[in-house]
Amino acid sequence: MKNSFEIGKIKGISIEINISWIVIFALLTYALATSYLPMNFEGVAATTAWMIAVIMALLFFSSVLLHELAHSLVALREGTEVKKITLFIFGGLAQIEQDADEPGKEFRIAIAGPATSLILGGVFLLAGELLARLGGPALIYVPLGYLSMVNFILALFNLVPAFPLDGGRVLRAIIWKKTKDRKKATRIASMTGTFFGYLLIFNGVFLAFSGNFLNGLWMLFIGWFITQAAQTSYQQVMMSDLFNKICVREFMTKNVVEVAYFTDIKTLTEDYFYKYKYSIFPVRRINEIMGIIGVEQVRRLDRTLWDETTVGSMAQPLGEDLVVAPGDCVSKAMEKVFRNGVGRVLVMEEGELLGIVSRTDILNYLHIHSMLGSGKDRVGLDLDKGEDR
Ligand SMILES: [Zn+2]
């Protein structure tokens, strides 16, 4: 997430705070100190109210963090990498690296968060009750009751069966297990997500117009957020499914134009870059591909040296992230294409160059797919008509 900074690490998971979180933290503290506490405790001193408000807000966000941490720790135990947890305006977000590959895993990761919130709610409730019976100060046990309620709400809200909320993931896991069809399960869970999102939006609008403006606006925001999230996460799941099925062999552009290693840069510019309008060429030395040469590299070379410099002397050697095998799935190629800084990968088999896959190929495929719907039977779609390769 943009505008986030790390506050610490737990079991290798980076804990981040987003700027938007600070706003919500300040608002909550302010509301507690100036409204909730003075309303419940007449004549409470302002400094006491602010002190308790800050502690309450901190405990509230620790609860959110523990909820996310529960997801993350279960995910780690299930063998999934977790990069970071970000606290932001709508709560917390654990960045779990990949979707669970079987419904049981998904269920356990999803349920861990709400379960933790329920337990926290119980603990705060018990502590508050105990303190109240022992005659402890109301200034402590009333806030404990509030924190217990907040955790119960957190658990219930997240259990709403709206994908990608926890409840939606639980729902998806159950349907997935029953039907053995992950795609169908994702579709149903996303549809309920969109439905709940709209329900919240309508409710929010209604609330806002019936006088409860702030709560209505807040509900509208959350509803909008859920609707968006349901739709984008559905598309993401579908895309990654699609790209996990198609292999590079079917997707690549064949008949790649190569340039010989002894070619000078001037010739490369005139007879290759301008002629073919590709920004990158594989470089061949006798019977092997030794690397690639691109416009970017040439641009940095002094023009007076173009005649005497050979392509071979400037070629970028073929590293791991520039090469895929024809049997690799497109998602693997995509990962490298978007990461390697070149925007392309060469498809190689036993030292032979079979084809190339570019960022444009992938984006065009996505575009066509979004226009024509599921086109996985038409993967052969001809994408090699002079793309920006
Ligand atoms: Zn959760």
Side-chain angles (χ1 to χ4, degrees):
M1 210 174 286
K2 263 189 241 163
N3 300 320
S4 301
F5 53 92
E6 191 183 281
I7 53 163
K9 265 192 166 150
I10 299 174
K11 290 215 168 193
I13 306 166
S14 159
I15 312 291
E16 282 188 353
I17 281 181
N18 185 262
I19 302 285
S20 66
W21 176 85
I22 294 172
V23 176
I24 202 72
F25 183 87
L27 274 177
L28 178 70
T29 311
Y30 177 78
L32 288 170
T34 60
S35 165
Y36 173 81
L37 288 164
M39 238 154 61
N40 281 278
F41 303 98
E42 243 177 83
V44 66
T47 40
T48 318
W50 276 98
M51 223 164 64
I52 294 176
V54 170
I55 294 171
M56 281 172 80
L58 282 176
L59 282 171
F60 172 72
F61 286 108
S62 307
S63 301
V64 175
L65 183 59
L66 283 171
H67 173 114
E68 295 306 325
L69 207 54
H71 286 305
S72 307
L73 293 180
V74 174
L76 278 184
R77 209 180 52 200
E78 300 281 351
T80 307
E81 206 187 320
V82 184
K83 278 229 176 93
K84 58 188 173 189
I85 293 174
T86 312
L87 293 176
F88 72 121
I89 192 158
F90 292 123
L93 192 74
Q95 196 183 327
I96 294 169
E97 276 307 282
Q98 70 256 66
D99 255 8
D101 48 13
E102 52 111 0
K105 238 188 217 184
E106 163 122 85
F107 183 84
R108 289 188 290 276
I109 297 173
I111 204 77
T116 304
S117 296
L118 279 179
I119 292 170
L120 282 171
V123 168
F124 281 125
L125 184 71
L126 266 177
E129 280 293 308
L130 210 66
L131 203 64
R133 290 199 189 181
L134 292 175
L139 259 173
I140 296 179
Y141 69 70
V142 172
L144 282 173
Y146 173 90
L147 285 167
S148 133
M149 200 184 65
V150 157
N151 271 289
F152 285 137
I153 292 174
L154 203 62
L156 286 181
F157 175 73
N158 275 290
L159 279 174
V160 167
F163 188 79
L165 292 183
D166 300 337
R169 290 185 179 276
V170 168
L171 177 70
R172 175 167 88 152
I174 293 170
I175 303 173
W176 182 4
K177 174 128 186 156
K178 283 245 161 81
T179 61
K180 311 251 179 298
D181 186 346
R182 180 164 169 270
K183 210 166 159 177
K184 188 177 171 188
T186 309
R187 196 173 58 236
I188 297 173
S190 302
M191 267 157 50
T192 54
T194 312
F195 172 76
F196 273 103
Y198 280 125
L199 206 66
L200 280 178
I201 291 176
F202 287 131
N203 240 313
V205 171
F206 178 76
L207 266 182
F209 280 111
S210 58
N212 206 336
F213 188 73
L214 269 185
N215 281 337
L217 199 65
W218 188 238
M219 202 176 263
L220 197 145
F221 264 132
I222 294 180
W224 176 79
F225 180 73
I226 291 178
T227 311
Q228 292 299 308
Q231 278 153 15
T232 46
S233 42
Y234 178 65
Q235 281 160 1
Q236 269 167 12
V237 171
M238 289 302 108
M239 282 306 160
S240 86
D241 276 10
L242 187 68
F243 281 164
N244 277 324
K245 272 190 206 133
I246 307 170
C247 76
V248 166
R249 191 196 307 278
E250 303 167 70
F251 199 87
M252 66 191 182
T253 303
K254 289 170 208 152
N255 307 321
V256 186
V257 181
E258 301 167 356
V259 54
Y261 76 106
F262 51 76
T263 313
D264 62 72
I265 300 297
K266 190 161 180 262
T267 312
L268 170 75
T269 307
E270 284 163 10
D271 294 354
Y272 289 86
F273 287 145
Y274 280 119
K275 186 174 166 202
Y276 295 102
K277 296 164 208 77
Y278 296 150
S279 50
I280 271 184
F281 290 93
V283 180
R284 176 172 292 278
R285 183 171 54 200
I286 311 160
N287 47 17
E288 58 153 2
I289 297 295
M290 60 173 292
I292 56 165
I293 184 94
V295 175
E296 261 310 298
Q297 288 150 280
V298 171
R299 195 175 64 94
R300 273 179 260 136
L301 181 71
D302 194 329
R303 260 166 209 272
T304 55
L305 302 172
W306 280 18
D307 278 327
E308 58 200 78
T309 310
T310 64
V311 164
S313 67
M314 285 189 73
Q316 176 183 345
L318 287 187
E320 201 17 54
D321 58 349
L322 282 177
V323 178
V324 288
D328 285 344
C329 60
V330 172
S331 51
K332 188 168 181 187
M334 187 154 85
E335 210 186 292
K336 293 185 178 181
V337 162
F338 283 90
R339 201 189 48 202
N340 65 14
V342 178
R344 289 143 188 88
V345 279
L346 301 185
V347 185
M348 311 267 299
E349 189 174 47
E350 290 169 7
E352 277 300 305
L353 176 67
L354 300 184
I356 196 162
V357 174
S358 77
R359 191 178 0 219
T360 323
D361 291 341
I362 294 171
L363 294 177
N364 278 343
Y365 183 80
L366 285 178
H367 176 67
I368 292 168
H369 185 270
S370 71
M371 302 293 280
L372 300 179
S374 174
K376 71 170 189 291
D377 313 321
R378 276 189 304 240
V379 176
L381 270 173
D382 209 6
L383 291 169
D384 48 354
K385 295 276 192 300
E387 302 306 346
D388 157 44
R389 210 205 62 205

